[in-house]
């Protein structure tokens, strides 16, 4: 399955929020879903296919994404592992605790470095898709 097809799969919300909007999802209750190519996601709120959402995304060791963008602005924190993120021709080596925002359909490439998978927490402002650059 291609990365594009995997990322565009329909999602069901994982966490049910309390009436006041409070939501708690322990790590042990994350439901990882394979997206193909060793990529997995665990949604914690929203609906990735229909609107804003928050989710974890896991990339395997050695993964290099094709140059692509997302229509929705999104904001990510590296939870574990190390990636090299290339945006506008500039490469950034990012480890745990690093943050990046990709807005206005910014094309980018991510490469997992080292011997540890990379895990990100992502907040997307709209439906999540992957659009390959030409």
């Amino acid at each position: 399955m291609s990365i594009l097809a995997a990322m565009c799969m329909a999602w069901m919300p994982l966490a049910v929020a309390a009436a006041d909007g409070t939501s708690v999802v322990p790590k042990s209750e994350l439901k990882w879903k394979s997206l193909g190519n060793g990529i997995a996601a665990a949604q914690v709120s929203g609906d990735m296919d229909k609107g804003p959402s928050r989710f974890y995304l896991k990339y395997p060791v050695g993964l290099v994404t094709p140059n692509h963008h997302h229509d929705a602005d999104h904001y990510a924190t590296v939870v574990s592992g190390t990636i090299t993120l290339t945006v506008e021709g500039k490469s950034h080596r990012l480890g745990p605790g690093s943050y990046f925002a990709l807005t206005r359909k910014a094309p980018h490439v991510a490469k997992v470095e080292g011997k540890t998978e990379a895990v990100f927490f992502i907040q997307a402002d709209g439906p999540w898709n992957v659009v390959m650059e030409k």
Side-chain angles (χ1 to χ4, degrees), residues 56-112:
Y56 290 93
L57 190 61
K58 188 185 310 183
Y59 285 173
V61 172
L63 179 78
V64 179
T65 67
N67 192 28
H68 67 284
H69 73 267
H70 308 278
D71 289 331
D73 291 348
H74 62 289
Y75 312 88
T77 300
V78 179
V79 175
S80 62
T82 301
I83 65 162
T84 296
L85 180 69
T86 303
V87 183
E88 296 180 355
K90 184 172 181 182
S91 295
H92 310 271
R93 189 172 171 93
L94 306 172
S98 298
Y99 169 83
F100 58 93
L102 294 171
T103 61
R104 298 179 307 247
K105 302 179 183 180
H108 56 281
V109 172
K111 178 181 178 186
V112 179

Side-chain angles (χ1 to χ4, degrees), residues 3 86 119 121:
I3 292 174
T86 303
V119 177
F121 184 76

